[in-house]
Amino acid sequence: KEKPVFRYGKNAFELFRLPIPQKGQVVGILGSNGIGKSTALEMLAGLLKPNLGQFEKELLEKEIIDSFKGTELQAYFTKLFSKKISVSYKPQYIDLIPKKFKGKVIDLLSKAGSKKQIDEISKEINIGAIINRKIEQLSGGELQKVAIAAAVLKEADLYLFDEPASYLDVKERVRVAKVIRTLAEKGKHVIVVEHDLIILDYLADLIHILFGQMAAYGVVSHPLSAKNGVNTYLDGYLRDENIRFRTQSIKFDHSAAGRSQDLIVFTKWPALKKKLGTFNLEIEPSEIHKKEIVGIVGANAIGKTTFMKMIAGQLKPDSGKIPAKLKISYKEQYLKPQKGVTVMSALSSVTKEIMTQKFKLDILRPLEIEHLMNHKLDELSGGELQRVAIAACLARKADFYLLDEPSTYLDVEQRLQAARAIQKVIKDREAAALVIDHDLLFINYVSDRLMVFDGTPAKKGKANKIQTVKAGMNHFLKELDITLRKDPSTHRPRVNQPGSQKDKVQRKQNKFYEF
């Protein structure tokens, strides 16, 4: 019944309503991929003008303002068009920054803030060591932190962050979330798009849900409190609008926290050591059971991928021996698509079962790949390529499955579907798996037990013995300095607000993870 705020063209994607910036609050935006989140941010940033569905002509600014009559957006667009509102925008695709800016990190940041401000933000988000490095030499995580620093340094009324947690480890996600929250505490308007539910919960005061149909239309819900927003999204039903936008609700009842195992030892490794340049890694002896998924958590550059490469036989330990005779399937962290190869031929090359009903039900359907079969790998989006890489890893007949950061580029639902697909394959084949990831909700959901890495990034890493999810999470969250509790309605892990009653009680009892 409503008019769209924007339509891309005839029979093309259209967006209904917009999120509402709130002074002194962080507004979160939650929704699946391809549903208009970035389009909404671009309109609020003034990079894209609302066309109210009239894509053939450019509307007058007065027509746009009048269309929002009687709403908070009327005042917002009046100020935006008369340049009385300044906007700072951290885009989603940070890999475009080196193409647009040549020079050092300090040169980029100097455009946005003073030396004193740059020194402060460098400490807060830990970029002091890369301040004199050239932009094109930065890793994805470093580039993300520089983009966030540049956005925070800019003096503005409204700050927009599109997926700030991508490429960052959990420690850095919490660090960046604290910095973004301080903007709201200073009375600024802040809007954040994020797929990591634990970080979004920690960050947001209010949440808008985006629902609809991928690449067809998107609708922005009315604002909800952060707790209600996440729970409503998982439930799939908007009570105030009487709309069910997902057929099933997402529950965390069968998350790992206490899954029992057959406890048949699948494989074990002794104490291992590896030196790479100036980096030293030590791994405690451990064993993994049949049908078991072990989640691996820890900071970036602390040896998680190095350990996985040792298990995969790509790196030799300096001391200790990796058990041989295991057939391994390995999904690497960085995906390099082959040019001109279709999804169908890529999957056919690893399994003959691609057309069987079981393969479709267990792998293709949950990972939403069926419609991509004739697409070329090098033409897929990041999320599509990630899902194909997970499918190829699970498609191989193996004993031991290794997955490095499978949740990258995936939205909330795709992450949980991927977790279920991994669980099904491991249990059915009586295999075992190691999964590295930075999304705590995903790791909590997919893992039977945990392996925690401690140490100093790029200097030394220590892999602790595999332990229960409860013990591992408690160990890791203590280091992160955050406490988690179980949400009574969805049973998902929720972050306690720092300094809240619950946070204080859990810290006193040394229960950083209360499940």
Side-chain angles (χ1 to χ4, degrees):
K1 290 173 189 173
E2 296 177 34
K3 254 189 186 176
V5 174
F6 192 85
R7 181 183 276 162
Y8 279 98
K10 193 180 178 183
N11 300 327
F13 181 84
E14 53 186 352
L15 180 68
F16 295 86
R17 303 185 203 145
L18 283 173
I20 302 161
Q22 304 281 354
K23 189 177 170 64
Q25 294 196 301
V26 178
V27 176
I29 300 180
L30 182 54
S32 53
N33 286 333
I35 211 150
K37 300 185 302 295
S38 297
T39 301
L41 286 199
E42 284 176 20
M43 274 187 275
L44 292 173
L47 299 172
L48 194 64
K49 266 191 181 168
N51 64 16
L52 314 179
Q54 298 173 55
F55 53 87
E56 312 92 337
K57 60 172 189 172
E58 193 170 331
L59 298 182
L60 296 170
E61 289 178 349
K62 188 182 181 308
E63 290 177 89
I64 297 168
I65 292 164
D66 287 348
S67 75
F68 293 109
K69 210 168 193 162
T71 70
E72 290 159 276
L73 288 167
Q74 182 185 16
Y76 178 78
F77 279 108
T78 303
K79 287 179 185 169
L80 184 71
F81 292 152
S82 58
K83 306 226 171 351
K84 286 181 182 159
I85 277 184
S86 53
V87 180
S88 180
Y89 178 42
K90 200 288 297 176
Q92 180 184 357
Y93 298 109
I94 51 159
D95 46 348
L96 300 176
I97 297 170
K99 291 172 187 165
K100 292 187 176 176
F101 184 87
K102 300 283 177 238
K104 293 180 178 175
V105 171
I106 187 78
D107 305 328
L108 178 69
L109 298 183
S110 297
K111 288 172 180 270
S114 66
K115 188 182 181 308
K116 187 179 177 236
Q117 289 170 318
I118 293 168
D119 288 345
E120 278 172 19
I121 196 85
S122 295
K123 280 195 193 85
E124 282 171 0
I125 62 173
N126 194 26
I127 53 169
I130 59 164
I131 204 88
N132 289 308
R133 214 179 283 171
K134 286 186 175 173
I135 293 284
E136 67 263 27
Q137 293 172 338
L138 303 182
S139 70
E142 290 165 343
L143 206 50
Q144 183 72 277
K145 289 197 285 184
V146 168
I148 291 165
V152 170
L153 282 169
K154 188 179 169 186
E155 188 50 49
D157 303 298
L158 172 65
Y159 291 83
L160 304 169
F161 296 91
D162 201 344
E163 297 190 27
S166 302
Y167 302 101
L168 301 183
D169 65 41
V170 187
K171 215 170 193 171
E172 289 168 328
R173 288 177 186 197
V174 172
R175 190 182 275 137
V176 158
K178 283 177 180 168
V179 170
I180 293 172
R181 274 220 63 84
T182 58
L183 289 170
E185 285 157 16
K186 288 175 187 167
K188 303 293 186 183
H189 302 70
V190 184
I191 294 186
V192 180
V193 169
E194 189 47 67
H195 291 303
D196 183 331
L197 288 185
I198 286 181
I199 293 299
L200 189 67
D201 207 4
Y202 181 74
L203 251 180
D205 300 298
L206 297 168
I207 282 175
H208 286 279
I209 293 169
L210 254 88
F211 60 94
Q213 201 176 321
M214 186 179 168
Y217 71 95
V219 184
V220 179
S221 78
H222 302 308
L224 299 151
S225 71
K227 179 192 170 181
N228 280 347
V230 175
N231 285 0
T232 298
Y233 182 75
L234 294 172
D235 188 34
Y237 175 65
L238 276 163
R239 192 164 276 111
D240 68 330
E241 302 190 47
N242 193 22
I243 288 171
R244 176 155 284 288
F245 56 88
R246 194 187 312 106
T247 50
Q248 285 176 308
S249 60
I250 298 167
K251 290 276 187 209
F252 289 84
D253 297 339
H254 66 294
S255 85
R259 277 204 291 266
S260 61
Q261 292 300 307
D262 298 339
L263 300 183
I264 300 164
V265 174
F266 171 77
T267 190
K268 51 183 167 185
W269 50 83
L272 303 167
K273 283 187 181 177
K274 183 71 188 170
K275 188 172 164 60
L276 289 170
T278 56
F279 177 72
N280 287 293
L281 176 63
E282 286 183 22
I283 290 140
E284 289 195 346
S286 226
E287 62 184 34
I288 186 167
H289 307 128
K290 231 178 199 181
K291 300 191 198 175
E292 184 173 53
I293 299 167
V294 170
I296 297 178
V297 292
N300 279 335
I302 208 149
K304 303 184 302 296
T305 298
T306 301
F307 166 67
M308 208 172 245
K309 286 192 165 165
M310 282 156 70
I311 295 288
Q314 293 184 9
L315 278 176
K316 269 195 168 171
D318 299 333
S319 75
K321 206 174 176 196
I322 296 291
K325 296 177 192 161
L326 284 176
K327 203 171 175 192
I328 282 166
S329 180
Y330 181 22
K331 186 209 82 73
E332 303 208 18
Q333 181 182 0
Y334 298 110
L335 310 174
K336 300 176 194 84
Q338 293 166 276
K339 273 203 163 140
V341 176
T342 64
V343 172
M344 172 75 88
S345 55
L347 293 177
S348 300
S349 68
V350 295
T351 181
K352 289 179 182 147
E353 294 175 11
I354 192 159
M355 297 318 288
T356 64
Q357 195 61 18
K358 184 164 174 54
F359 189 78
K360 277 182 187 171
L361 290 173
D362 291 356
I363 295 174
L364 295 184
R365 213 154 279 169
L367 293 169
E368 296 170 8
I369 288 170
E370 284 178 291
H371 69 289
L372 298 172
M373 294 308 253
N374 296 318
H375 292 224
K376 288 176 182 164
L377 293 177
D378 54 324
E379 290 169 3
L380 298 179
S381 70
E384 289 166 345
L385 188 62
Q386 185 71 263
R387 299 197 313 267
V388 171
I390 296 167
C393 176
L394 297 178
R396 291 186 196 99
K397 285 279 185 282
D399 308 308
F400 209 2
Y401 292 83
L402 313 177
L403 295 106
D404 198 342
E405 299 196 23
S407 84
T408 309
Y409 301 118
L410 303 187
D411 64 39
V412 177
E413 289 174 65
Q414 290 166 344
R415 288 176 190 197
L416 298 174
Q417 290 281 53
R420 288 189 195 118
I422 294 165
Q423 286 166 343
K424 181 138 187 37
V425 167
I426 300 311
K427 308 304 181 221
D428 284 359
R429 294 186 191 161
E430 298 195 354
L434 294 174
V435 179
I436 296 172
D437 214 275
H438 294 302
D439 182 337
L440 288 182
L441 193 93
F442 175 82
I443 277 290
N444 185 73
Y445 191 77
V446 81
S447 311
D448 296 304
R449 287 193 298 155
L450 274 191
M451 190 173 183
V452 182
F453 277 63
D454 297 322
T456 310
K459 288 184 182 170
K460 62 174 185 190
K462 183 197 174 193
N464 294 283
K465 195 175 176 160
I466 297 171
Q467 52 197 322
T468 64
V469 169
K470 197 167 189 175
M473 277 287 197
N474 209 55
H475 173 152
F476 190 48
L477 293 171
K478 197 170 186 177
E479 199 192 324
L480 291 176
D481 197 29
I482 57 173
T483 59
L484 286 186
R485 71 183 187 281
K486 190 186 216 172
D487 182 82
S489 54
T490 61
H491 302 162
R492 68 184 168 94
R494 284 199 69 201
V495 177
N496 294 312
Q497 283 304 324
S500 67
Q501 194 57 37
K502 192 78 184 133
D503 181 57
K504 285 176 184 167
V505 169
Q506 281 183 227
R507 284 172 190 274
K508 202 173 178 182
Q509 295 172 341
N510 199 28
K511 287 182 181 173
F512 283 74
Y513 178 81
E514 196 168 67
F515 249 66

